[in-house]
mmCIF file of all heavy atoms in Angstrom:
data_model
loop_
_atom_site.group_PDB
_atom_site.id
_atom_site.type_symbol
_atom_site.label_atom_id
_atom_site.label_comp_id
_atom_site.label_asym_id
_atom_site.label_seq_id
_atom_site.Cartn_x
_atom_site.Cartn_y
_atom_site.Cartn_z
ATOM 1 N N ASP A 1319 -28.728 62.027 122.933
ATOM 2 C CA ASP A 1319 -29.333 62.468 124.193
ATOM 3 C C ASP A 1319 -28.354 63.172 125.124
ATOM 4 O O ASP A 1319 -28.761 63.688 126.167
ATOM 5 C CB ASP A 1319 -29.947 61.274 124.921
ATOM 6 C CG ASP A 1319 -31.127 60.678 124.167
ATOM 7 O OD1 ASP A 1319 -31.770 61.426 123.416
ATOM 8 O OD2 ASP A 1319 -31.377 59.468 124.319
ATOM 9 N N THR A 1320 -27.071 63.180 124.800
ATOM 10 C CA THR A 1320 -26.052 63.824 125.629
ATOM 11 C C THR A 1320 -25.635 65.139 124.990
ATOM 12 O O THR A 1320 -25.315 65.188 123.797
ATOM 13 C CB THR A 1320 -24.817 62.917 125.790
ATOM 14 O OG1 THR A 1320 -25.233 61.677 126.370
ATOM 15 C CG2 THR A 1320 -23.764 63.568 126.684
ATOM 16 N N GLN A 1321 -25.636 66.214 125.780
ATOM 17 C CA GLN A 1321 -25.232 67.513 125.247
ATOM 18 C C GLN A 1321 -23.730 67.520 124.960
ATOM 19 O O GLN A 1321 -22.932 66.989 125.754
ATOM 20 C CB GLN A 1321 -25.547 68.619 126.250
ATOM 21 C CG GLN A 1321 -27.016 68.868 126.474
ATOM 22 C CD GLN A 1321 -27.225 70.089 127.353
ATOM 23 O OE1 GLN A 1321 -27.095 71.231 126.896
ATOM 24 N NE2 GLN A 1321 -27.550 69.859 128.614
ATOM 25 N N LEU A 1322 -23.352 68.140 123.863
ATOM 26 C CA LEU A 1322 -21.949 68.307 123.500
ATOM 27 C C LEU A 1322 -21.631 69.798 123.489
ATOM 28 O O LEU A 1322 -22.246 70.573 122.751
ATOM 29 C CB LEU A 1322 -21.654 67.686 122.135
ATOM 30 C CG LEU A 1322 -20.209 67.752 121.640
ATOM 31 C CD1 LEU A 1322 -19.257 67.068 122.624
ATOM 32 C CD2 LEU A 1322 -20.088 67.120 120.255
ATOM 33 N N LEU A 1323 -20.685 70.193 124.321
ATOM 34 C CA LEU A 1323 -20.245 71.580 124.442
ATOM 35 C C LEU A 1323 -18.845 71.685 123.857
ATOM 36 O O LEU A 1323 -18.036 70.760 124.006
ATOM 37 C CB LEU A 1323 -20.224 72.009 125.916
ATOM 38 C CG LEU A 1323 -21.349 71.481 126.810
ATOM 39 C CD1 LEU A 1323 -21.073 71.820 128.270
ATOM 40 C CD2 LEU A 1323 -22.685 72.037 126.360
ATOM 41 N N VAL A 1324 -18.518 72.819 123.214
ATOM 42 C CA VAL A 1324 -17.178 72.987 122.652
ATOM 43 C C VAL A 1324 -16.568 74.291 123.151
ATOM 44 O O VAL A 1324 -17.282 75.269 123.403
ATOM 45 C CB VAL A 1324 -17.178 72.946 121.105
ATOM 46 C CG1 VAL A 1324 -17.688 71.604 120.594
ATOM 47 C CG2 VAL A 1324 -17.981 74.097 120.517
ATOM 48 N N ASP A 1325 -15.251 74.286 123.287
ATOM 49 C CA ASP A 1325 -14.519 75.422 123.850
ATOM 50 C C ASP A 1325 -13.318 75.726 122.959
ATOM 51 O O ASP A 1325 -12.427 74.892 122.804
ATOM 52 C CB ASP A 1325 -14.054 75.055 125.268
ATOM 53 C CG ASP A 1325 -13.344 76.187 125.984
ATOM 54 O OD1 ASP A 1325 -13.215 77.286 125.407
ATOM 55 O OD2 ASP A 1325 -12.917 75.968 127.134
ATOM 56 N N PHE A 1326 -13.298 76.934 122.386
ATOM 57 C CA PHE A 1326 -12.178 77.349 121.539
ATOM 58 C C PHE A 1326 -11.050 78.000 122.332
ATOM 59 O O PHE A 1326 -10.004 78.313 121.757
ATOM 60 C CB PHE A 1326 -12.670 78.331 120.466
ATOM 61 C CG PHE A 1326 -13.344 77.680 119.294
ATOM 62 C CD1 PHE A 1326 -14.719 77.709 119.157
ATOM 63 C CD2 PHE A 1326 -12.597 77.034 118.317
ATOM 64 C CE1 PHE A 1326 -15.350 77.124 118.070
ATOM 65 C CE2 PHE A 1326 -13.206 76.433 117.225
ATOM 66 C CZ PHE A 1326 -14.598 76.481 117.104
ATOM 67 N N ASN A 1327 -11.246 78.262 123.619
ATOM 68 C CA ASN A 1327 -10.200 78.867 124.454
ATOM 69 C C ASN A 1327 -9.591 80.121 123.829
ATOM 70 O O ASN A 1327 -8.372 80.300 123.820
ATOM 71 C CB ASN A 1327 -9.103 77.857 124.782
ATOM 72 C CG ASN A 1327 -9.550 76.848 125.821
ATOM 73 O OD1 ASN A 1327 -9.756 75.674 125.497
ATOM 74 N ND2 ASN A 1327 -9.719 77.287 127.068
ATOM 75 N N GLN A 1328 -10.451 80.964 123.253
ATOM 76 C CA GLN A 1328 -10.052 82.275 122.737
ATOM 77 C C GLN A 1328 -9.154 82.191 121.502
ATOM 78 O O GLN A 1328 -8.468 83.150 121.157
ATOM 79 C CB GLN A 1328 -9.310 83.097 123.804
ATOM 80 C CG GLN A 1328 -9.996 83.197 125.147
ATOM 81 C CD GLN A 1328 -9.182 84.032 126.115
ATOM 82 O OE1 GLN A 1328 -8.856 85.195 125.847
ATOM 83 N NE2 GLN A 1328 -8.849 83.451 127.254
ATOM 84 N N GLY A 1329 -9.130 81.046 120.820
ATOM 85 C CA GLY A 1329 -8.106 80.806 119.811
ATOM 86 C C GLY A 1329 -8.367 81.364 118.422
ATOM 87 O O GLY A 1329 -7.486 81.257 117.558
ATOM 88 N N LEU A 1330 -9.533 81.981 118.162
ATOM 89 C CA LEU A 1330 -9.878 82.364 116.794
ATOM 90 C C LEU A 1330 -10.075 83.868 116.649
ATOM 91 O O LEU A 1330 -10.440 84.560 117.598
ATOM 92 C CB LEU A 1330 -11.179 81.660 116.374
ATOM 93 C CG LEU A 1330 -11.222 80.142 116.472
ATOM 94 C CD1 LEU A 1330 -12.598 79.637 116.079
ATOM 95 C CD2 LEU A 1330 -10.145 79.497 115.619
ATOM 96 N N SER A 1331 -9.869 84.354 115.434
ATOM 97 C CA SER A 1331 -10.301 85.708 115.093
ATOM 98 C C SER A 1331 -11.817 85.706 114.959
ATOM 99 O O SER A 1331 -12.448 84.641 114.836
ATOM 100 C CB SER A 1331 -9.664 86.153 113.775
ATOM 101 O OG SER A 1331 -10.178 85.362 112.704
ATOM 102 N N VAL A 1332 -12.420 86.868 114.943
ATOM 103 C CA VAL A 1332 -13.880 86.940 114.811
ATOM 104 C C VAL A 1332 -14.350 86.318 113.492
ATOM 105 O O VAL A 1332 -15.271 85.482 113.491
ATOM 106 C CB VAL A 1332 -14.366 88.399 114.977
ATOM 107 C CG1 VAL A 1332 -15.839 88.524 114.603
ATOM 108 C CG2 VAL A 1332 -14.127 88.868 116.403
ATOM 109 N N PRO A 1333 -13.762 86.662 112.332
ATOM 110 C CA PRO A 1333 -14.239 86.040 111.084
ATOM 111 C C PRO A 1333 -14.063 84.521 111.078
ATOM 112 O O PRO A 1333 -14.954 83.797 110.611
ATOM 113 C CB PRO A 1333 -13.381 86.708 110.003
ATOM 114 C CG PRO A 1333 -12.964 88.006 110.608
ATOM 115 C CD PRO A 1333 -12.771 87.723 112.063
ATOM 116 N N GLU A 1334 -12.928 84.030 111.595
ATOM 117 C CA GLU A 1334 -12.716 82.584 111.606
ATOM 118 C C GLU A 1334 -13.683 81.901 112.571
ATOM 119 O O GLU A 1334 -14.149 80.781 112.312
ATOM 120 C CB GLU A 1334 -11.271 82.258 111.971
ATOM 121 C CG GLU A 1334 -10.921 80.775 111.986
ATOM 122 C CD GLU A 1334 -11.052 80.091 110.633
ATOM 123 O OE1 GLU A 1334 -11.267 80.774 109.603
ATOM 124 O OE2 GLU A 1334 -10.945 78.850 110.599
ATOM 125 N N ALA A 1335 -13.991 82.560 113.678
ATOM 126 C CA ALA A 1335 -14.964 82.000 114.617
ATOM 127 C C ALA A 1335 -16.319 81.852 113.944
ATOM 128 O O ALA A 1335 -16.989 80.816 114.070
ATOM 129 C CB ALA A 1335 -15.068 82.889 115.848
ATOM 130 N N VAL A 1336 -16.736 82.868 113.217
ATOM 131 C CA VAL A 1336 -18.013 82.797 112.507
ATOM 132 C C VAL A 1336 -18.002 81.647 111.515
ATOM 133 O O VAL A 1336 -18.970 80.861 111.418
ATOM 134 C CB VAL A 1336 -18.317 84.133 111.806
ATOM 135 C CG1 VAL A 1336 -19.530 84.003 110.883
ATOM 136 C CG2 VAL A 1336 -18.548 85.242 112.839
ATOM 137 N N ARG A 1337 -16.904 81.500 110.763
ATOM 138 C CA ARG A 1337 -16.812 80.424 109.762
ATOM 139 C C ARG A 1337 -16.936 79.055 110.408
ATOM 140 O O ARG A 1337 -17.701 78.197 109.954
ATOM 141 C CB ARG A 1337 -15.492 80.544 109.009
ATOM 142 C CG ARG A 1337 -15.347 79.545 107.854
ATOM 143 C CD ARG A 1337 -14.040 79.768 107.119
ATOM 144 N NE ARG A 1337 -12.917 79.135 107.780
ATOM 145 C CZ ARG A 1337 -12.460 77.906 107.487
ATOM 146 N NH1 ARG A 1337 -13.067 77.179 106.553
ATOM 147 N NH2 ARG A 1337 -11.409 77.409 108.112
ATOM 148 N N ARG A 1338 -16.187 78.841 111.502
ATOM 149 C CA ARG A 1338 -16.207 77.512 112.119
ATOM 150 C C ARG A 1338 -17.520 77.229 112.835
ATOM 151 O O ARG A 1338 -18.019 76.097 112.808
ATOM 152 C CB ARG A 1338 -15.018 77.359 113.077
ATOM 153 C CG ARG A 1338 -13.684 77.380 112.361
ATOM 154 C CD ARG A 1338 -12.591 76.722 113.165
ATOM 155 N NE ARG A 1338 -11.284 76.898 112.521
ATOM 156 C CZ ARG A 1338 -10.209 76.171 112.801
ATOM 157 N NH1 ARG A 1338 -10.257 75.236 113.729
ATOM 158 N NH2 ARG A 1338 -9.065 76.399 112.182
ATOM 159 N N ILE A 1339 -18.083 78.234 113.484
ATOM 160 C CA ILE A 1339 -19.348 77.998 114.183
ATOM 161 C C ILE A 1339 -20.456 77.689 113.189
ATOM 162 O O ILE A 1339 -21.308 76.825 113.434
ATOM 163 C CB ILE A 1339 -19.701 79.198 115.078
ATOM 164 C CG1 ILE A 1339 -18.660 79.337 116.201
ATOM 165 C CG2 ILE A 1339 -21.094 79.010 115.695
ATOM 166 C CD1 ILE A 1339 -18.781 80.613 117.012
#
Side-chain angles (χ1 to χ4, degrees):
D1319 294 333
T1320 302
Q1321 292 187 77
L1322 182 58
L1323 322 172
V1324 299
D1325 183 1
F1326 280 104
N1327 285 109
Q1328 310 180 57
L1330 304 177
S1331 67
V1332 170
E1334 181 63 8
V1336 171
R1337 185 178 82 94
R1338 294 202 187 197
I1339 295 171

